[in-house]
Amino acid sequence: MHNRIFFTLSLAVLLISCKGTNTDSIQLSEVNSERFTVDESIKGDKEIEEFIAPFKEHLNATLDSVIAFNPKLLSKNDGDLNTAIGNLMADIVMVQANPVIKKRSGKDIDMVLLNKGGIRAELPAGGVTARSAYNLMPFENEIVVAELNGKQIKQMLKYLEKAKSAHPVSGIKILADRDYKTIKATIQGKEIDENKTFLVATSDYLLNGGDNMMFFKDPVNIYGADYKIRNALIDYFTKVDTIKAEIDDRYIRE
């Protein structure tokens, strides 16, 4: 259906037989439907187009205003277990959400875990705009923080072993063998103690079982940030001049 949208408009023609005002006697006697094709062949309403034109112009100007500079193309397919764009997004969540969570919980975020599939576009070299953030994260996903115990963190590592994918992380450092089995993992530079808890920032989509991340199922606590990931990206882009994003050693194989 290239560039075509079909609408089925159901027209219910109610042929009713009424007996006084008793609604119990009303019965549907016939239903007709017809399919309409909505595509470029349909001409716009000139009056409506003229009415929305200034709003459209203002919106496009806002979305396309350059707010930062990106020196090189960033793609989610440019690395094995971590990518420059994934690292950038996870680090942004850490930086932007931590003050909010610190104020609400009295604790710092220990690490961030997002999903590779949530990165919906490349970030081209050149000017970065609010539209860039919408392209990267078109969903309305919000940042949430799950307090997980050490055993749940170990379940997360098992999940990553099976995923064998560059899920964006921040605050954690993982060394895996050639078969993706975790050899060593530290959070904020410390060994993972099963008797301790850790604040893991993620998206509400993943917290609710998205991508089958079941280790989020029974967190010790949940802290909401009331902060969309996309807005965190825009706020970060607004306050930096030049984006710095690199593939590093936060999640690697031997």
Side-chain angles (χ1 to χ4, degrees), residues 168-188:
V169 296
S170 181
I172 189 170
K173 201 166 183 177
I174 306 169
L175 173 63
D177 65 17
R178 297 306 302 173
D179 296 322
Y180 297 90
K181 300 296 182 184
T182 301
I183 297 173
K184 183 178 181 181
T186 58
I187 295 178
Q188 297 297 329

Side-chain angles (χ1 to χ4, degrees), residues 19 28 37 48 50 65 67-69 81 90 99 112 121 128 131 166 172 203 213 223 244:
K19 295 181 180 178
L28 179 66
T37 301
I48 293 177
E50 288 177 351
S65 295
I67 52 180
F69 176 74
L81 290 178
V112 176
V128 177
R131 193 185 297 277
I172 189 170
S203 70
M213 293 191 180
Y223 302 98
K244 297 178 181 177

Side-chain angles (χ1 to χ4, degrees), residues 150-169:
K151 290 183 179 179
Q152 291 167 319
I153 295 294
K154 296 291 179 65
Q155 293 172 8
M156 180 192 72
L157 293 172
K158 289 294 183 183
Y159 175 93
L160 293 174
E161 286 180 356
K162 293 180 179 178
K164 302 175 182 177
S165 181
H167 287 304
V169 296

Side-chain angles (χ1 to χ4, degrees), residues 93 114 137 141-143 203 227-233:
V93 169
L114 303 175
M137 179 53 68
N141 291 347
E142 293 208 352
I143 300 170
S203 70
Y227 200 5
K228 295 185 189 302
I229 293 177
R230 183 176 58 241
N231 289 345
L233 298 177

Side-chain angles (χ1 to χ4, degrees), residues 8 10 20 35 42 47 63 68 77 99 107 109 113 155 157 171-172 190 192 206 222-223 234-235 240 242:
T8 298
S10 296
R35 175 174 286 186
I42 297 179
E47 185 176 351
L63 287 174
N77 298 314
K107 304 173 185 176
I109 296 172
L113 172 66
Q155 293 172 8
L157 293 172
I172 189 170
K190 297 179 181 178
I192 299 171
L206 297 178
I222 298 175
Y223 302 98
I234 293 172
D235 290 344
V240 301
T242 302

Side-chain angles (χ1 to χ4, degrees), residues 65-70 126-129 236-243:
S65 295
V66 174
I67 52 180
F69 176 74
N70 179 35
V128 177
T129 65
Y236 180 83
F237 293 153
T238 302
K239 71 182 184 183
V240 301
D241 178 76
T242 302
I243 290 173

